[in-house]
Amino acid sequence: MRVTLQAPGRAALLSIVRYPASPWGWRCARIDGSAWHHRGAMNAPTKPSRTAPADTASGPPLGENLHSPVIDWFDENARDLPWRRPEAGAWGVMVSEFMLQQTPVNRVLPVYEQWLARWPRPADLAKEAPGEAVRAWGRLGYPRRALRLHGAAVAITERHGGDVPADHAQLLALPGIGEYTAAAVASFAYGQRHPVLDTNVRRVFARAVTGVQYPPNATTAAERKLARALLPEDEPTAARWAAASMELGALVCTAKSESCHRCPIAAQCAWRLAGKPEHDGPPRRGQTYAGTDRQVRGRLLAVLREAHGPVPQAALDRVWHEPVQRARALDGLVADGLVEPLAGGLYRLPLT
């Protein structure tokens, strides 16, 4: 079975072919099209004006029929989030990217505001003990992110004079910074051209272009290649596209209840045109919390965050009834550098 996407008066933009034996189910077979209109960078104070279409002598880029609708939709529907405002700066963008990993916006907002009020620059955080970053992290979950953000702040202060670097390679060299975070900061803070692949973007691309309901459990080389192919050539437009496609996945093309009637590219979506075939790839990983070591770790850390000094073992023993799991969780916190053991059976958040 073949589904072809075609704009009026143009050659076929995208051809999707059904391969029953493929774990993807649908694959892009042929790409044609024409150029897109340019837009301004993400943090531009005014709505950018369009420029003339790019030269199409060598053929149009993949995704040209997606860029303008998605960016226009973003211009009208983007949430007013503090890290998207110009005053947030690169440090504000970086803090948000650490906090938003596997954590919803509504939980991040109050912690983000408190964090930036206390540590408005990387050097302010770098002066503090790492345990203070863990304490301020509160109940956001995955507290190792707090240690990594503290380590990045120290490195930024020591290597870059306290300013978050704009160079992608320098961002990637910071401790605790992976490919996604480096690309996100370079794109959202500095308006550069990088593929920014979070869960929301991957889902939009899987449906709109590849024609499957969900992306693989882990990011693949094929997804990275597709994301690069979908990037507009113009840097400000590419940065705007990265933010817009992410917001589309967060608000419209959601995991469980997609709102195709509100989607600006529903008419071009390969998955929708194919009749929304059910996911036939590997089982999707579910996230559980109750009764897991993560829950125990969270309870142990809560005691240490609320304490003004070292905490005795007995106080930690009271938070979980099962001694073997409790000991395993505490050992894991120590191994991760989130808890520092002291003589006499005492524990505290790390000072170094």
Side-chain angles (χ1 to χ4, degrees):
M1 178 178 179
R2 180 185 299 271
V3 176
T4 300
L5 308 186
Q6 186 168 2
R10 296 183 181 178
L13 298 172
L14 176 66
S15 187
I16 307 291
V17 182
R18 177 69 172 171
Y19 292 90
S22 166
W24 281 93
W26 298 82
R27 288 184 180 174
C28 301
R30 181 167 55 86
I31 298 164
D32 301 302
S34 62
W36 65 90
H37 294 294
H38 294 177
R39 303 286 294 188
M42 179 178 173
N43 285 329
T46 59
K47 188 172 181 177
S49 60
R50 297 186 184 275
T51 64
D55 181 12
T56 60
S58 59
L62 172 61
E64 61 86 19
N65 62 321
L66 305 178
H67 298 147
S68 289
V70 172
I71 292 172
D72 287 343
W73 171 88
F74 183 68
D75 287 342
E76 298 297 327
N77 297 278
R79 291 167 291 180
D80 180 20
L81 300 173
W83 45 85
R84 288 179 175 164
R85 299 168 191 163
E87 61 268 23
W91 173 238
V93 171
M94 178 176 285
V95 170
S96 75
E97 288 301 332
F98 271 81
M99 291 185 173
L100 288 165
Q101 294 168 23
Q102 299 179 289
T103 308
V105 167
N106 63 329
R107 289 183 59 199
V108 166
L109 281 170
V111 181
Y112 174 89
E113 298 280 11
Q114 294 164 11
W115 190 286
L116 268 295
R118 182 175 178 181
W119 299 309
R121 289 180 53 80
D124 300 317
L125 176 59
K127 295 175 184 176
E128 299 270 14
E132 286 305 302
V134 177
R135 193 189 309 278
W137 199 255
R139 296 184 177 275
L140 284 183
Y142 303 97
R144 277 179 289 183
R145 291 179 294 169
L147 288 182
R148 291 169 182 159
L149 184 50
H150 182 275
V154 171
I156 291 168
T157 303
E158 294 176 347
R159 303 176 193 173
H160 304 288
D163 294 322
V164 176
D167 181 75
H168 181 268
Q170 292 180 336
L171 286 165
L172 200 56
L174 296 173
I177 302 287
E179 176 57 40
Y180 165 79
T181 305
V185 173
S187 179
F188 300 154
Y190 294 113
Q192 296 177 14
R193 183 180 183 271
H194 295 282
V196 183
L197 273 176
D198 80 335
T199 301
N200 291 315
V201 176
R202 294 174 62 224
R203 186 169 56 253
V204 169
F205 291 174
R207 291 174 179 174
V209 180
T210 315
V212 296
Q213 186 177 17
Y214 299 116
N217 287 331
T219 306
T220 65
E223 287 181 283
R224 294 188 178 94
K225 183 177 180 180
L226 174 61
R228 290 192 296 270
L230 286 170
L231 272 178
E233 291 295 332
D234 175 71
E235 278 205 335
T237 310
R240 193 75 176 171
W241 161 253
S245 55
M246 186 177 294
E247 189 80 335
L248 185 65
L251 299 184
V252 175
C253 194
T254 58
K256 295 182 180 179
S257 56
E258 67 279 355
S259 301
C260 295
H261 65 284
R262 296 193 295 120
C263 180
I265 54 173
Q268 304 149 11
C269 175
W271 181 58
R272 180 175 174 273
L273 291 173
K276 294 187 177 181
E278 293 289 332
H279 176 68
D280 63 357
R284 301 179 68 230
R285 292 194 299 256
Q287 291 189 353
T288 58
Y289 184 73
T292 63
D293 284 5
R294 278 188 58 218
Q295 184 181 24
V296 184
R297 285 163 61 102
R299 292 193 176 184
L300 294 171
L301 274 180
V303 173
L304 293 165
R305 283 198 309 269
E306 294 164 6
H308 297 290
V311 173
Q313 178 77 55
L316 298 177
D317 290 345
R318 289 194 290 269
V319 305
W320 197 256
H321 63 282
E322 210 290 305
V324 175
Q325 187 180 26
R326 187 179 64 236
R328 182 172 66 243
L330 182 58
D331 288 345
L333 290 171
V334 172
D336 290 341
L338 291 162
V339 172
E340 185 177 336
L342 304 174
L346 298 175
Y347 296 87
R348 69 183 180 193
L349 296 177
L351 294 181
T352 58

